[in-house]
Amino acid sequence: MRLPGNQVHFDEQDPNSEKGRQGLRSSLSGLDYSPLPRVSPRVLVMGVLISMGGLIFGYDTGQISGFLEMPDFLERFGQRKPDGTPYFSTVRSGLIVALLSIGTLIGALVGSPIADRIGRKKAISFWCLIVSIGFVVQIASITAWYQVMIGRFISGLGVGGLSLMVPMYQAETAPYWIRGALVCAYQLFITMGIFLAACFNYGTVTHYPNSSACWRIVIGIGWVFTIVLGVGILFFPETPRYDYKVGKAERAKQTLCKVYAANMNHWSVFTQIEEIEAKVRLEHKVKHSSYREFMGMWKAPRMAYRVILGMTLQMFQQLTGANYFFYYGTTIFRSVQIDSYITQIILNTINFLVTFLGLYMVEHYGRRKSLISGALWMFICFMIFASVGHFSLDIENPQNTPSAGIALIVFACLFILGFATTWGPMIWTIQAEIFPTRYRAKGMALSTASNWIWNFCIGFFTPFITKDIDFRYGYVFAGCNLLAAAIVYFFVIEGQGRTLEEIDTMYLEHVVPWKSSKWQPPSAEEMARIRREAQTGAEADILDASAYEAAGTGSDDALRGTNGAKKEGNETGTGLLSGETTSHQEHA
């Protein structure tokens, strides 16, 4: 596969071409290998609409920092000093801000079984409804601060579900040659949501400073985004993999043709269909309980490794310290007499605009190089930021040290440049790539839950920590960034330009991560052999079921059933398994 300009070429897959790789099936010589558009209009529209799930997340996250400084919000929900002055204690503000993350954690965990039961697009609509209910609870609040907190918790449930469903829908539907950029668009829309929230906060507090309209209008605007996504997704098709799973094969084929902008006889569509059909036949042969399927995920080859890796990467996305910068923005910008609302607009504008660069980098420089360089960049920024803040800035009266404030502003912006182009968007891409379809929903749910756990910890505990160690807190994040770079170097496999099936095979083969960019996919027969030995092909599932049934009846034939399954798998290796692996396409 080559990507010159705006077209994708398939000369390497064509058995009749001089550029065709060895081991290609001659039976595929009659297929269409003509170039396809890199981005079809349908994929573009789909990417924009589905990514609005990220906009909802960013918008809901970004608005609360402005609310805490609005006079009416403070008057209604704050506490009182002895002289009657309203204020937010560290605990109360921490709960209002961070309880959203607890909701998102739960939403991400329960999102997996809901997605498998009702489908991907219906699940997206469902979670949009939950977010809307949370908005209603918040807007209806009068003086009870815990009602705002509960409303944010309910909204968090929906945001958490969307944070799982949006990357999953994109990964299961998008052509693999733009999968990385499309999943990264989710992060782009998160930054757009945060930016819009900052702008609306500034607008409403300027025009309605002493009215509840200053925060109620901002929350109400969020309904527009949830309605557009929740209703709009119903006009889009279900993901091809889910349609095949529930017996709607013809509709799945038509969806693939439309998404790829190709005919049914094109190599990319044919082999994708072949792969999906093979996997669906296997899943229909073996039906497990949800509990047994979850436990089996940890025992499957290299799955525990991948789940832990996904959770670790999501944890370090939070430990890069991005939220710490937004928390300290008010203090550092006060040193040069800039309004706190303008502060948020400046930081969020940079955060939003440079994320476009991340969409380019993920497909042109790869995941590993981008993440490692981004982590080292952020390490340097934090070391300078923390040193200047602790040793040079007058924390009590920052306006007395404008030079130090300017330096902090510069490195805050440079940090955001590094985060928004690498760790912000690319972790979502890797999360959507490293799991096979059978376990993708569960693996992504656990990884996303890790993100939300650490999001809550940082959001809630940062005010307490910064009170004790001020800007030295930045050294902690600097160390985390250095460790994050090492984790990517030693454990993350390069997925640039790879299909999901090839990435899965790389993990099964124990490809050395720092050599993964030079890895060449094996032939179809070799791919089948690797999967048979790893017991991830047809015979592995049949073996699993046979052994389980034998054990359940107390039979001594479990081992014989195992051998029989292996024999059956070998006999069908040139049929079902060959069809499953030769396409080098994604797991279905």
Side-chain angles (χ1 to χ4, degrees), residues 433-471:
E433 291 178 340
I434 63 177
F435 303 114
T437 300
R438 179 176 179 181
Y439 300 116
R440 183 170 298 129
K442 298 175 180 64
M444 288 181 66
L446 291 173
S447 299
T448 304
S450 172
N451 183 292
W452 294 120
I453 289 173
W454 286 95
N455 188 304
F456 170 80
C457 290
I458 292 174
F460 183 76
F461 292 110
T462 288
F464 297 97
I465 297 173
T466 51
K467 278 187 176 181
D468 291 334
I469 62 174
D470 60 71
F471 283 88

mmCIF file of all heavy atoms in Angstrom, residues 433-471:
data_model
loop_
_atom_site.group_PDB
_atom_site.id
_atom_site.type_symbol
_atom_site.label_atom_id
_atom_site.label_comp_id
_atom_site.label_asym_id
_atom_site.label_seq_id
_atom_site.Cartn_x
_atom_site.Cartn_y
_atom_site.Cartn_z
ATOM 1 N N GLU A 433 -5.933 0.677 18.454
ATOM 2 C CA GLU A 433 -5.205 -0.216 17.556
ATOM 3 C C GLU A 433 -4.750 -1.521 18.183
ATOM 4 O O GLU A 433 -4.652 -2.539 17.497
ATOM 5 C CB GLU A 433 -3.953 0.495 17.012
ATOM 6 C CG GLU A 433 -4.233 1.624 16.054
ATOM 7 C CD GLU A 433 -2.958 2.303 15.594
ATOM 8 O OE1 GLU A 433 -1.917 2.157 16.279
ATOM 9 O OE2 GLU A 433 -3.006 2.984 14.553
ATOM 10 N N ILE A 434 -4.433 -1.517 19.461
ATOM 11 C CA ILE A 434 -3.682 -2.641 20.011
ATOM 12 C C ILE A 434 -4.535 -3.846 20.386
ATOM 13 O O ILE A 434 -3.983 -4.920 20.661
ATOM 14 C CB ILE A 434 -2.856 -2.201 21.239
ATOM 15 C CG1 ILE A 434 -3.768 -1.726 22.377
ATOM 16 C CG2 ILE A 434 -1.873 -1.117 20.851
ATOM 17 C CD1 ILE A 434 -2.995 -1.357 23.644
ATOM 18 N N PHE A 435 -5.864 -3.722 20.384
ATOM 19 C CA PHE A 435 -6.711 -4.839 20.790
ATOM 20 C C PHE A 435 -7.388 -5.498 19.585
ATOM 21 O O PHE A 435 -7.868 -4.801 18.692
ATOM 22 C CB PHE A 435 -7.802 -4.364 21.762
ATOM 23 C CG PHE A 435 -7.269 -3.687 22.983
ATOM 24 C CD1 PHE A 435 -7.511 -2.346 23.209
ATOM 25 C CD2 PHE A 435 -6.514 -4.389 23.907
ATOM 26 C CE1 PHE A 435 -7.018 -1.709 24.334
ATOM 27 C CE2 PHE A 435 -6.013 -3.761 25.039
ATOM 28 C CZ PHE A 435 -6.267 -2.415 25.259
ATOM 29 N N PRO A 436 -7.459 -6.847 19.551
ATOM 30 C CA PRO A 436 -8.257 -7.516 18.519
ATOM 31 C C PRO A 436 -9.738 -7.268 18.768
ATOM 32 O O PRO A 436 -10.146 -6.937 19.885
ATOM 33 C CB PRO A 436 -7.902 -9.001 18.701
ATOM 34 C CG PRO A 436 -7.469 -9.103 20.121
ATOM 35 C CD PRO A 436 -6.814 -7.799 20.464
ATOM 36 N N THR A 437 -10.557 -7.403 17.738
ATOM 37 C CA THR A 437 -11.956 -7.013 17.840
ATOM 38 C C THR A 437 -12.700 -7.762 18.934
ATOM 39 O O THR A 437 -13.561 -7.198 19.600
ATOM 40 C CB THR A 437 -12.662 -7.235 16.499
ATOM 41 O OG1 THR A 437 -12.011 -6.443 15.526
ATOM 42 C CG2 THR A 437 -14.115 -6.840 16.569
ATOM 43 N N ARG A 438 -12.364 -9.037 19.127
ATOM 44 C CA ARG A 438 -13.071 -9.831 20.141
ATOM 45 C C ARG A 438 -12.984 -9.185 21.516
ATOM 46 O O ARG A 438 -13.917 -9.253 22.312
ATOM 47 C CB ARG A 438 -12.482 -11.242 20.176
ATOM 48 C CG ARG A 438 -13.124 -12.144 21.223
ATOM 49 C CD ARG A 438 -12.574 -13.541 21.140
ATOM 50 N NE ARG A 438 -13.164 -14.408 22.137
ATOM 51 C CZ ARG A 438 -12.853 -15.695 22.294
ATOM 52 N NH1 ARG A 438 -11.957 -16.248 21.493
ATOM 53 N NH2 ARG A 438 -13.429 -16.415 23.223
ATOM 54 N N TYR A 439 -11.850 -8.548 21.797
ATOM 55 C CA TYR A 439 -11.646 -7.959 23.118
ATOM 56 C C TYR A 439 -11.528 -6.439 23.068
ATOM 57 O O TYR A 439 -11.165 -5.821 24.073
ATOM 58 C CB TYR A 439 -10.371 -8.531 23.753
ATOM 59 C CG TYR A 439 -10.394 -10.031 23.928
ATOM 60 C CD1 TYR A 439 -9.490 -10.846 23.253
ATOM 61 C CD2 TYR A 439 -11.316 -10.638 24.772
ATOM 62 C CE1 TYR A 439 -9.499 -12.224 23.419
ATOM 63 C CE2 TYR A 439 -11.345 -12.013 24.938
ATOM 64 C CZ TYR A 439 -10.437 -12.802 24.252
ATOM 65 O OH TYR A 439 -10.453 -14.167 24.419
ATOM 66 N N ARG A 440 -11.822 -5.825 21.924
ATOM 67 C CA ARG A 440 -11.568 -4.394 21.792
ATOM 68 C C ARG A 440 -12.415 -3.570 22.763
ATOM 69 O O ARG A 440 -11.913 -2.657 23.412
ATOM 70 C CB ARG A 440 -11.807 -3.926 20.358
ATOM 71 C CG ARG A 440 -11.482 -2.438 20.159
ATOM 72 C CD ARG A 440 -11.491 -2.049 18.693
ATOM 73 N NE ARG A 440 -10.469 -2.777 17.972
ATOM 74 C CZ ARG A 440 -10.708 -3.460 16.856
ATOM 75 N NH1 ARG A 440 -11.921 -3.502 16.352
ATOM 76 N NH2 ARG A 440 -9.733 -4.097 16.254
ATOM 77 N N ALA A 441 -13.704 -3.871 22.841
ATOM 78 C CA ALA A 441 -14.577 -3.080 23.717
ATOM 79 C C ALA A 441 -14.114 -3.164 25.167
ATOM 80 O O ALA A 441 -14.052 -2.154 25.879
ATOM 81 C CB ALA A 441 -16.023 -3.550 23.579
ATOM 82 N N LYS A 442 -13.773 -4.381 25.613
ATOM 83 C CA LYS A 442 -13.355 -4.554 27.008
ATOM 84 C C LYS A 442 -11.988 -3.924 27.260
ATOM 85 O O LYS A 442 -11.770 -3.271 28.278
ATOM 86 C CB LYS A 442 -13.337 -6.047 27.347
ATOM 87 C CG LYS A 442 -14.690 -6.730 27.235
ATOM 88 C CD LYS A 442 -14.583 -8.219 27.473
ATOM 89 C CE LYS A 442 -15.948 -8.877 27.357
ATOM 90 N NZ LYS A 442 -16.507 -8.764 25.983
ATOM 91 N N GLY A 443 -11.050 -4.138 26.334
ATOM 92 C CA GLY A 443 -9.717 -3.567 26.502
ATOM 93 C C GLY A 443 -9.735 -2.054 26.498
ATOM 94 O O GLY A 443 -9.073 -1.402 27.315
ATOM 95 N N MET A 444 -10.513 -1.471 25.571
ATOM 96 C CA MET A 444 -10.608 -0.020 25.505
ATOM 97 C C MET A 444 -11.314 0.541 26.735
ATOM 98 O O MET A 444 -10.986 1.634 27.217
ATOM 99 C CB MET A 444 -11.333 0.404 24.227
ATOM 100 C CG MET A 444 -10.525 0.202 22.957
ATOM 101 S SD MET A 444 -11.393 0.737 21.466
ATOM 102 C CE MET A 444 -11.499 2.501 21.762
ATOM 103 N N ALA A 445 -12.294 -0.199 27.255
ATOM 104 C CA ALA A 445 -13.009 0.268 28.445
ATOM 105 C C ALA A 445 -12.064 0.367 29.639
ATOM 106 O O ALA A 445 -12.080 1.354 30.380
ATOM 107 C CB ALA A 445 -14.172 -0.670 28.762
ATOM 108 N N LEU A 446 -11.228 -0.652 29.835
ATOM 109 C CA LEU A 446 -10.285 -0.626 30.952
ATOM 110 C C LEU A 446 -9.239 0.472 30.776
ATOM 111 O O LEU A 446 -8.873 1.161 31.735
ATOM 112 C CB LEU A 446 -9.603 -1.988 31.086
ATOM 113 C CG LEU A 446 -10.494 -3.144 31.561
ATOM 114 C CD1 LEU A 446 -9.746 -4.465 31.493
ATOM 115 C CD2 LEU A 446 -11.002 -2.889 32.979
ATOM 116 N N SER A 447 -8.760 0.648 29.544
ATOM 117 C CA SER A 447 -7.771 1.692 29.287
ATOM 118 C C SER A 447 -8.357 3.076 29.534
ATOM 119 O O SER A 447 -7.730 3.939 30.163
ATOM 120 C CB SER A 447 -7.261 1.590 27.841
ATOM 121 O OG SER A 447 -6.629 0.354 27.611
ATOM 122 N N THR A 448 -9.578 3.295 29.020
ATOM 123 C CA THR A 448 -10.232 4.586 29.214
ATOM 124 C C THR A 448 -10.511 4.844 30.687
ATOM 125 O O THR A 448 -10.375 5.979 31.168
ATOM 126 C CB THR A 448 -11.540 4.644 28.413
ATOM 127 O OG1 THR A 448 -11.266 4.370 27.034
ATOM 128 C CG2 THR A 448 -12.186 6.014 28.518
ATOM 129 N N ALA A 449 -10.892 3.775 31.421
ATOM 130 C CA ALA A 449 -11.142 3.922 32.853
ATOM 131 C C ALA A 449 -9.880 4.382 33.580
ATOM 132 O O ALA A 449 -9.939 5.187 34.518
ATOM 133 C CB ALA A 449 -11.636 2.604 33.440
ATOM 134 N N SER A 450 -8.720 3.885 33.142
ATOM 135 C CA SER A 450 -7.452 4.320 33.736
ATOM 136 C C SER A 450 -7.258 5.817 33.545
ATOM 137 O O SER A 450 -6.815 6.522 34.463
ATOM 138 C CB SER A 450 -6.295 3.552 33.091
ATOM 139 O OG SER A 450 -5.048 4.067 33.508
ATOM 140 N N ASN A 451 -7.600 6.312 32.352
ATOM 141 C CA ASN A 451 -7.483 7.751 32.088
ATOM 142 C C ASN A 451 -8.333 8.547 33.061
ATOM 143 O O ASN A 451 -7.881 9.550 33.635
ATOM 144 C CB ASN A 451 -7.908 8.025 30.640
ATOM 145 C CG ASN A 451 -7.763 9.487 30.240
ATOM 146 O OD1 ASN A 451 -8.486 10.343 30.734
ATOM 147 N ND2 ASN A 451 -6.856 9.753 29.328
ATOM 148 N N TRP A 452 -9.560 8.092 33.279
ATOM 149 C CA TRP A 452 -10.478 8.855 34.122
ATOM 150 C C TRP A 452 -10.114 8.781 35.597
ATOM 151 O O TRP A 452 -10.339 9.729 36.355
ATOM 152 C CB TRP A 452 -11.908 8.381 33.895
ATOM 153 C CG TRP A 452 -12.403 8.686 32.526
ATOM 154 C CD1 TRP A 452 -12.828 7.799 31.582
ATOM 155 C CD2 TRP A 452 -12.496 9.979 31.923
ATOM 156 N NE1 TRP A 452 -13.175 8.463 30.431
ATOM 157 C CE2 TRP A 452 -12.984 9.801 30.619
ATOM 158 C CE3 TRP A 452 -12.210 11.273 32.360
ATOM 159 C CZ2 TRP A 452 -13.194 10.861 29.747
ATOM 160 C CZ3 TRP A 452 -12.413 12.332 31.492
ATOM 161 C CH2 TRP A 452 -12.900 12.115 30.201
ATOM 162 N N ILE A 453 -9.552 7.641 36.027
ATOM 163 C CA ILE A 453 -9.115 7.541 37.426
ATOM 164 C C ILE A 453 -8.039 8.581 37.718
ATOM 165 O O ILE A 453 -8.103 9.314 38.718
ATOM 166 C CB ILE A 453 -8.586 6.121 37.718
ATOM 167 C CG1 ILE A 453 -9.742 5.115 37.741
ATOM 168 C CG2 ILE A 453 -7.851 6.088 39.058
ATOM 169 C CD1 ILE A 453 -9.285 3.673 37.859
ATOM 170 N N TRP A 454 -7.068 8.664 36.823
ATOM 171 C CA TRP A 454 -5.978 9.615 37.045
ATOM 172 C C TRP A 454 -6.421 11.049 36.780
ATOM 173 O O TRP A 454 -5.891 11.990 37.375
ATOM 174 C CB TRP A 454 -4.779 9.228 36.179
ATOM 175 C CG TRP A 454 -4.108 8.019 36.739
ATOM 176 C CD1 TRP A 454 -4.307 6.718 36.391
ATOM 177 C CD2 TRP A 454 -3.156 8.010 37.808
ATOM 178 N NE1 TRP A 454 -3.539 5.885 37.168
ATOM 179 C CE2 TRP A 454 -2.819 6.646 38.043
ATOM 180 C CE3 TRP A 454 -2.560 8.991 38.575
ATOM 181 C CZ2 TRP A 454 -1.907 6.269 39.025
ATOM 182 C CZ3 TRP A 454 -1.647 8.619 39.556
ATOM 183 C CH2 TRP A 454 -1.329 7.277 39.773
ATOM 184 N N ASN A 455 -7.394 11.220 35.900
ATOM 185 C CA ASN A 455 -7.966 12.542 35.683
ATOM 186 C C ASN A 455 -8.588 13.051 36.983
ATOM 187 O O ASN A 455 -8.398 14.207 37.380
ATOM 188 C CB ASN A 455 -9.013 12.467 34.571
ATOM 189 C CG ASN A 455 -9.524 13.825 34.135
ATOM 190 O OD1 ASN A 455 -10.013 14.594 34.944
ATOM 191 N ND2 ASN A 455 -9.426 14.104 32.859
ATOM 192 N N PHE A 456 -9.322 12.172 37.661
ATOM 193 C CA PHE A 456 -9.932 12.546 38.940
ATOM 194 C C PHE A 456 -8.866 12.854 39.981
ATOM 195 O O PHE A 456 -8.956 13.854 40.717
ATOM 196 C CB PHE A 456 -10.837 11.421 39.447
ATOM 197 C CG PHE A 456 -11.302 11.619 40.862
ATOM 198 C CD1 PHE A 456 -12.345 12.477 41.140
ATOM 199 C CD2 PHE A 456 -10.676 10.961 41.910
ATOM 200 C CE1 PHE A 456 -12.765 12.684 42.451
ATOM 201 C CE2 PHE A 456 -11.083 11.156 43.218
ATOM 202 C CZ PHE A 456 -12.134 12.018 43.496
ATOM 203 N N CYS A 457 -7.852 11.989 40.086
ATOM 204 C CA CYS A 457 -6.808 12.178 41.098
ATOM 205 C C CYS A 457 -6.108 13.520 40.933
ATOM 206 O O CYS A 457 -5.897 14.256 41.912
ATOM 207 C CB CYS A 457 -5.792 11.036 41.017
ATOM 208 S SG CYS A 457 -6.440 9.438 41.572
ATOM 209 N N ILE A 458 -5.759 13.854 39.684
ATOM 210 C CA ILE A 458 -5.066 15.116 39.445
ATOM 211 C C ILE A 458 -5.994 16.298 39.690
ATOM 212 O O ILE A 458 -5.621 17.295 40.315
ATOM 213 C CB ILE A 458 -4.502 15.146 38.013
ATOM 214 C CG1 ILE A 458 -3.384 14.108 37.888
ATOM 215 C CG2 ILE A 458 -3.973 16.537 37.656
ATOM 216 C CD1 ILE A 458 -2.847 13.949 36.491
ATOM 217 N N GLY A 459 -7.247 16.182 39.208
ATOM 218 C CA GLY A 459 -8.195 17.279 39.396
ATOM 219 C C GLY A 459 -8.517 17.541 40.859
ATOM 220 O O GLY A 459 -8.687 18.688 41.283
ATOM 221 N N PHE A 460 -8.581 16.468 41.661
ATOM 222 C CA PHE A 460 -8.979 16.637 43.061
ATOM 223 C C PHE A 460 -7.799 16.983 43.966
ATOM 224 O O PHE A 460 -7.901 17.846 44.847
ATOM 225 C CB PHE A 460 -9.645 15.353 43.565
ATOM 226 C CG PHE A 460 -10.157 15.462 44.983
ATOM 227 C CD1 PHE A 460 -11.321 16.154 45.260
ATOM 228 C CD2 PHE A 460 -9.452 14.890 46.031
ATOM 229 C CE1 PHE A 460 -11.796 16.273 46.561
ATOM 230 C CE2 PHE A 460 -9.913 15.005 47.340
ATOM 231 C CZ PHE A 460 -11.083 15.689 47.603
ATOM 232 N N PHE A 461 -6.656 16.334 43.766
ATOM 233 C CA PHE A 461 -5.541 16.490 44.700
ATOM 234 C C PHE A 461 -4.577 17.619 44.346
ATOM 235 O O PHE A 461 -3.805 18.059 45.202
ATOM 236 C CB PHE A 461 -4.759 15.176 44.814
ATOM 237 C CG PHE A 461 -5.525 14.075 45.479
ATOM 238 C CD1 PHE A 461 -5.972 12.981 44.760
ATOM 239 C CD2 PHE A 461 -5.818 14.143 46.833
ATOM 240 C CE1 PHE A 461 -6.685 11.967 45.367
ATOM 241 C CE2 PHE A 461 -6.536 13.131 47.455
ATOM 242 C CZ PHE A 461 -6.976 12.037 46.726
ATOM 243 N N THR A 462 -4.600 18.100 43.097
ATOM 244 C CA THR A 462 -3.669 19.163 42.712
ATOM 245 C C THR A 462 -3.766 20.404 43.605
ATOM 246 O O THR A 462 -2.734 20.947 44.016
ATOM 247 C CB THR A 462 -3.872 19.539 41.233
ATOM 248 O OG1 THR A 462 -3.365 18.480 40.411
ATOM 249 C CG2 THR A 462 -3.123 20.813 40.874
ATOM 250 N N PRO A 463 -4.957 20.901 43.950
ATOM 251 C CA PRO A 463 -5.016 22.094 44.829
ATOM 252 C C PRO A 463 -4.329 21.860 46.173
ATOM 253 O O PRO A 463 -3.673 22.769 46.700
ATOM 254 C CB PRO A 463 -6.518 22.336 45.001
ATOM 255 C CG PRO A 463 -7.137 21.722 43.791
ATOM 256 C CD PRO A 463 -6.307 20.522 43.491
ATOM 257 N N PHE A 464 -4.465 20.653 46.737
ATOM 258 C CA PHE A 464 -3.827 20.359 48.024
ATOM 259 C C PHE A 464 -2.303 20.316 47.880
ATOM 260 O O PHE A 464 -1.568 20.842 48.720
ATOM 261 C CB PHE A 464 -4.326 19.008 48.565
ATOM 262 C CG PHE A 464 -5.795 18.973 48.856
ATOM 263 C CD1 PHE A 464 -6.693 18.460 47.926
ATOM 264 C CD2 PHE A 464 -6.297 19.451 50.059
ATOM 265 C CE1 PHE A 464 -8.048 18.417 48.193
ATOM 266 C CE2 PHE A 464 -7.651 19.407 50.341
ATOM 267 C CZ PHE A 464 -8.538 18.894 49.403
ATOM 268 N N ILE A 465 -1.845 19.658 46.789
ATOM 269 C CA ILE A 465 -0.395 19.497 46.594
ATOM 270 C C ILE A 465 0.268 20.841 46.317
ATOM 271 O O ILE A 465 1.331 21.150 46.871
ATOM 272 C CB ILE A 465 -0.125 18.505 45.447
ATOM 273 C CG1 ILE A 465 -0.663 17.124 45.813
ATOM 274 C CG2 ILE A 465 1.372 18.421 45.142
ATOM 275 C CD1 ILE A 465 -0.598 16.120 44.690
ATOM 276 N N THR A 466 -0.345 21.636 45.474
ATOM 277 C CA THR A 466 0.274 22.914 45.108
ATOM 278 C C THR A 466 0.314 23.879 46.295
ATOM 279 O O THR A 466 1.171 24.765 46.339
ATOM 280 C CB THR A 466 -0.479 23.571 43.944
ATOM 281 O OG1 THR A 466 -1.879 23.629 44.248
ATOM 282 C CG2 THR A 466 -0.286 22.770 42.657
ATOM 283 N N LYS A 467 -0.594 23.716 47.244
ATOM 284 C CA LYS A 467 -0.544 24.558 48.438
ATOM 285 C C LYS A 467 0.702 24.264 49.263
ATOM 286 O O LYS A 467 1.236 25.140 49.951
ATOM 287 C CB LYS A 467 -1.797 24.346 49.294
ATOM 288 C CG LYS A 467 -3.009 25.139 48.827
ATOM 289 C CD LYS A 467 -4.151 25.009 49.816
ATOM 290 C CE LYS A 467 -5.337 25.875 49.400
ATOM 291 N NZ LYS A 467 -6.456 25.765 50.375
ATOM 292 N N ASP A 468 1.158 23.001 49.202
ATOM 293 C CA ASP A 468 2.297 22.595 50.023
ATOM 294 C C ASP A 468 3.642 22.778 49.329
ATOM 295 O O ASP A 468 4.626 23.178 49.974
ATOM 296 C CB ASP A 468 2.143 21.130 50.441
ATOM 297 C CG ASP A 468 0.998 20.940 51.427
ATOM 298 O OD1 ASP A 468 0.666 21.898 52.149
ATOM 299 O OD2 ASP A 468 0.433 19.836 51.475
ATOM 300 N N ILE A 469 3.711 22.477 48.030
ATOM 301 C CA ILE A 469 5.022 22.501 47.363
ATOM 302 C C ILE A 469 5.067 23.442 46.169
ATOM 303 O O ILE A 469 6.033 23.420 45.403
ATOM 304 C CB ILE A 469 5.438 21.077 46.925
ATOM 305 C CG1 ILE A 469 4.452 20.498 45.903
ATOM 306 C CG2 ILE A 469 5.564 20.154 48.128
ATOM 307 C CD1 ILE A 469 4.891 19.153 45.336
ATOM 308 N N ASP A 470 4.061 24.265 45.974
ATOM 309 C CA ASP A 470 3.957 25.249 44.902
ATOM 310 C C ASP A 470 4.454 24.709 43.574
ATOM 311 O O ASP A 470 4.112 23.607 43.172
ATOM 312 C CB ASP A 470 4.667 26.555 45.292
ATOM 313 C CG ASP A 470 6.154 26.410 45.579
ATOM 314 O OD1 ASP A 470 6.926 26.193 44.640
ATOM 315 O OD2 ASP A 470 6.551 26.538 46.766
ATOM 316 N N PHE A 471 5.315 25.425 42.876
ATOM 317 C CA PHE A 471 5.717 25.050 41.519
ATOM 318 C C PHE A 471 6.636 23.828 41.465
ATOM 319 O O PHE A 471 6.896 23.299 40.391
ATOM 320 C CB PHE A 471 6.403 26.239 40.827
ATOM 321 C CG PHE A 471 5.441 27.275 40.343
ATOM 322 C CD1 PHE A 471 5.032 28.298 41.179
ATOM 323 C CD2 PHE A 471 4.926 27.232 39.053
ATOM 324 C CE1 PHE A 471 4.129 29.266 40.737
ATOM 325 C CE2 PHE A 471 4.034 28.188 38.609
ATOM 326 C CZ PHE A 471 3.631 29.207 39.442
#
